[in-house]
Amino acid sequence: MPRAGDCPGDSGGQTGGMSQDTSADVRGRPDAPLAPHPVMHRAVPAWVGDLIAAVLIFAAAFARFPGQDFPDGWLEIVLAIGPALLLPFRRRWPVVVLALCLGFYGVTVLIGLVFPGVGLAVAIAMFGVAARSPRRATIIIAAIALAVVALFNVGALWGIVDHRVFQFILGVALAAAAGDAHRSHREY
């Protein structure tokens, strides 16, 4: 085995004259931006997702489905579409938006109405919380959100459980799991 002084490289190890600096790109300049991959596409702006969510909430509020409540007065219209106005802020204040969406959900259930768009907004807000929070915080916040949804429904219906309760609970749980998976994938 050759001695360290016999090797022409800087480090004296098996790499010989290879550079140990990994921050330089192939052009030799440190921290130079790499050229974008030719197949990569431009990312969709965030407002497109907010617009799609708002359209889905508006459609769910005003579509006539069998057995669905339809908003009649101004208060009911505000309760049905109000969460759509909150969702653009979920990236900056995810927990606050989730709490406000849960508040909209609670008020609609307590006055005897269940709007699917409000449940969809709660699920989207839960996804936003899970995608931006550590796993432990996601589990705690999701458990609280699920308990709030269940308690609002049981309290409002005086013990009679509507089948939509299970849909909303499963939607919130699925959104929490999907948001956590998205965060884990992004970190990987």
Side-chain angles (χ1 to χ4, degrees):
M1 179 165 192
R3 295 186 314 239
D6 293 340
C7 188
D10 302 32
S11 65
Q14 289 190 345
T15 58
M18 292 177 59
S19 172
Q20 296 294 327
D21 184 19
T22 59
S23 66
D25 68 340
V26 292
R27 294 179 298 274
R29 295 178 299 166
D31 301 327
L34 296 175
H37 193 275
V39 180
M40 294 179 72
H41 300 286
R42 182 178 293 205
V44 177
W47 62 267
V48 173
D50 294 335
L51 181 66
I52 292 170
V55 167
L56 289 174
I57 291 170
F58 274 80
F62 295 111
R64 295 275 185 177
F65 297 113
Q68 178 188 335
D69 299 319
F70 191 78
D72 289 329
W74 283 104
L75 176 65
E76 293 178 7
I77 291 173
V78 168
L79 290 174
I81 65 172
L85 303 174
L86 295 174
L87 288 180
F89 301 106
R90 74 183 185 278
R91 289 176 189 85
R92 182 151 175 106
W93 302 293
V95 177
V96 173
V97 170
L98 175 63
L100 290 173
C101 287
L102 284 170
F104 271 100
Y105 182 76
V107 170
T108 59
V109 169
L110 289 176
I111 64 172
L113 302 170
V114 179
F115 298 124
V118 179
L120 178 63
V122 170
I124 292 170
M126 185 67 237
F127 178 89
V129 168
R132 289 166 181 80
S133 302
R135 181 167 287 141
R136 182 173 291 176
T138 297
I139 291 170
I140 292 169
I141 293 170
I144 292 170
L146 291 170
V148 166
V149 169
L151 289 175
F152 274 138
N153 283 293
V154 171
L157 300 173
W158 295 279
I160 302 170
V161 179
D162 190 6
H163 69 280
R164 293 176 284 191
V165 174
F166 298 112
Q167 294 171 355
F168 289 142
I169 289 175
L170 288 175
V172 171
L174 179 65
D180 186 60
H182 175 71
R183 181 194 43 77
S184 295
H185 178 71
R186 191 178 60 228
E187 289 176 353
Y188 180 70

